[in-house]
Amino acid sequence: MTEPITMDIPHKYGREGVRAKLDGGVNKIAGVVPGGVVKDHRWDGDTLHFTIEGLGQRVASKVELFDDKVRATIDLPPFLALFADKIRAKLNKEAPKLLK
């Protein structure tokens, strides 16, 4: 089992504002995996659970909403864990744009 990628992204939109932004942009999140698409997503309270499929891999992910930040957790399968640094870098660059 590999170590998941976890990152906190600050925001100033409140939970409902961020929820609306994520609902409208969840498919953009798939871009962190080359050729990735979001296959399913669902809300469980203030947590968005979704699965990205790409490169023949399934990536279980979640985003937890807080008043001033979101916490993204991406569980990479072993094959994609080889690219964890590149995926993390892309997340650091692209994820904050989803909240603007």
Side-chain angles (χ1 to χ4, degrees), residues 1 4 6 9 14 18-19 29 32 35-36 45 49 52 60 67 69 74-75 80 83 94-97:
M1 190 74 173
T6 302
I9 306 163
V18 170
R19 180 185 293 262
I29 297 170
V32 300
H49 297 271
I52 300 171
D67 291 332
K69 67 182 175 188
I74 300 173
D75 292 319
L80 290 178
F83 306 100
E94 300 298 326
K97 294 177 186 178

Side-chain angles (χ1 to χ4, degrees), residues 23-100:
D23 278 338
V26 70
N27 290 320
K28 295 176 186 174
I29 297 170
V32 300
V33 176
V37 295
V38 173
K39 284 298 191 177
D40 61 64
H41 69 281
R42 66 176 172 79
W43 285 98
D44 181 13
D46 285 335
T47 302
L48 173 62
H49 297 271
F50 58 98
T51 303
I52 300 171
E53 288 186 5
L55 297 174
Q57 305 290 307
R58 293 179 57 85
V59 180
S61 307
K62 70 179 179 180
V63 176
E64 299 169 275
L65 303 185
F66 297 92
D67 291 332
D68 60 346
K69 67 182 175 188
V70 298
R71 176 168 294 134
T73 305
I74 300 173
D75 292 319
L76 296 175
F79 173 73
L80 290 178
L82 297 171
F83 306 100
D85 289 339
K86 289 183 180 187
I87 291 170
R88 185 178 289 109
K90 189 163 186 173
L91 272 174
N92 282 327
K93 181 180 176 188
E94 300 298 326
K97 294 177 186 178
L98 295 174
L99 302 181
K100 292 185 179 187

